[in-house]
Amino acid sequence: MDATQIFWLIALVSTGIFVVQFVVSVFFGDVDVDIDGDSSVDTDMSSIVSFKGLVHFGIGFGWTMVLAGEPTTTALLAATATGLVFVFVLWKLYVMAGRLQKETPSERPEALVGRYGTVYTNMGDGRYILQINHNGALRELDVVSESQSDGYKTGERLTVKSYKDNVYYVK
């Protein structure tokens, strides 16, 4: 087997493994593997990052060498650099995906005291609905005016002044 055939083999096998991994992840999500017996293996897709990195390196390296044709020192260096770029891109995608999965911690009700909100509607009797940033999203919050005579209008910005007995108060 000559060098060109080896590079074709690396490129095709790596690409084939990538396609299988992609199809499995799209249609089946996370794959957990538990093997019991003489040796116990407990793994999930996140612990196979090194395998995925190797596959991505193989794709970049193999196809660069196939396109280069001749296995020269320059081609080998370029293929190695391309393989490392593929691994870096994979790592960067994992970092970005990890940011998407972060959950916003739940805030205590008292944490809204001092925040501004916009009057969404006047419910009468000094009661209003505010739109306020709560738990990382815009939420509607029932509030009561400390001064029953206040006539706040829709769109007006108010500050939550206090929280007592499960009721938010604005001034």
Side-chain angles (χ1 to χ4, degrees):
M1 188 182 287
D2 69 345
T4 305
Q5 290 174 328
I6 292 172
F7 298 134
W8 270 102
L9 183 66
I10 291 171
L12 292 174
V13 169
S14 297
T15 303
I17 291 171
F18 172 77
V19 169
V20 168
Q21 285 178 335
F22 180 76
V23 169
V24 167
S25 67
V26 167
F27 292 110
F28 301 107
D30 284 340
V31 176
D32 291 331
V33 177
D34 293 320
I35 301 172
D36 292 326
D38 292 345
S39 62
S40 180
V41 176
D42 183 17
T43 185
D44 59 23
M45 290 306 278
S46 64
S47 64
I48 305 178
V49 171
S50 60
F51 179 71
K52 284 187 174 185
L54 180 63
V55 168
H56 283 75
F57 179 84
I59 291 170
F61 179 85
W63 285 112
T64 302
M65 287 305 295
V66 165
L67 293 174
E70 290 281 327
T72 63
T73 304
T74 305
L76 286 170
L77 290 174
T80 302
T82 303
L84 291 174
V85 167
F86 274 51
V87 172
F88 175 76
V89 169
L90 172 70
W91 170 77
K92 193 66 174 169
L93 288 172
Y94 275 114
V95 168
M96 291 186 326
R99 286 185 195 145
L100 292 175
Q101 291 179 345
K102 288 184 181 174
E103 293 182 24
T104 306
S106 184
E107 295 179 295
R108 296 186 351 258
E110 297 83 15
L112 295 180
V113 174
R115 281 200 200 158
Y116 289 97
T118 304
V119 176
Y120 180 69
T121 188
N122 183 341
M123 298 171 49
D125 299 330
R127 296 179 307 126
Y128 300 89
I129 296 178
L130 286 185
Q131 286 184 328
I132 193 165
N133 188 355
H134 180 56
N135 288 331
L138 192 62
R139 310 272 185 202
E140 292 181 354
L141 180 69
D142 292 331
V143 297
V144 175
S145 174
E146 289 178 341
S147 169
Q148 296 291 333
S149 63
D150 292 335
Y152 300 117
K153 295 181 179 29
T154 301
E156 195 170 340
R157 286 181 54 106
L158 302 177
T159 303
V160 177
K161 293 295 181 185
S162 62
Y163 175 76
K164 299 175 199 155
D165 300 323
N166 293 329
V167 177
Y168 291 97
Y169 293 95
V170 295
K171 187 172 182 181

